Amino acid sequence: MTEHPDLAGLQRRLAEFAAARHWQPFHTPKNLASALSVEAAELLEIFQWLTPEQSTAVMSDPTTAHRVTDEVADVLAYLLQFCQVLNIDPLAALAAKIERNEGRFPVPGAEGTT
């Protein structure tokens, strides 16, 4: 089984990759947010004209699965770089958002909800 790297390690590798190519001046929050949006759109493009049934089976085709996986990696890479530049802990941000959503959207039929 392959060991999965931790987020901090991935962020470090991304920073080293960018530094080796002297890309840091271009990795502003605005540019990284823009790049993240472009990569998310490229992921969406794969699914654009698929039926719901086709979209759930997208990973069964090796070529399409590879494209989806690559776009997911691109989205995550830019998100991690964005978080690093702005000193955001992505896991803490997600945990806090889930907690807020649990309060905003209680389970239907749970005690005290309608």
Side-chain angles (χ1 to χ4, degrees):
M1 178 183 281
T2 304
E3 186 175 322
H4 295 284
D6 63 300
L7 285 181
L10 290 171
Q11 285 177 306
R12 194 170 33 259
R13 283 184 68 191
L14 288 165
E16 290 167 359
F17 181 88
R21 289 151 182 84
H22 309 288
W23 290 350
Q24 306 97 316
F26 308 104
H27 283 194
T28 64
K30 176 198 159 290
N31 287 350
L32 291 169
S34 295
L36 175 59
S37 177
V38 168
E39 294 302 337
E42 289 178 8
L43 177 61
L44 177 59
E45 183 181 29
I46 297 167
F47 294 87
Q48 185 173 9
W49 302 112
L50 299 181
T51 66
E53 295 78 19
Q54 290 169 324
S55 72
T56 59
V58 75
M59 299 304 282
S60 62
D61 173 54
T63 301
T64 307
H66 180 72
R67 288 178 58 214
V68 169
T69 302
D70 273 358
E71 294 307 334
V72 166
D74 289 342
V75 168
L76 183 57
Y78 280 119
L79 180 60
L80 291 177
Q81 290 173 92
F82 179 83
C83 288
Q84 187 172 36
V85 166
L86 292 179
N87 199 30
I88 296 169
D89 178 338
L91 297 180
L94 178 57
K97 181 65 174 187
I98 291 170
E99 189 170 323
R100 284 193 307 276
N101 282 345
E102 288 171 340
R104 289 179 58 209
F105 306 104
V107 176
E111 189 174 317
T113 65
T114 55

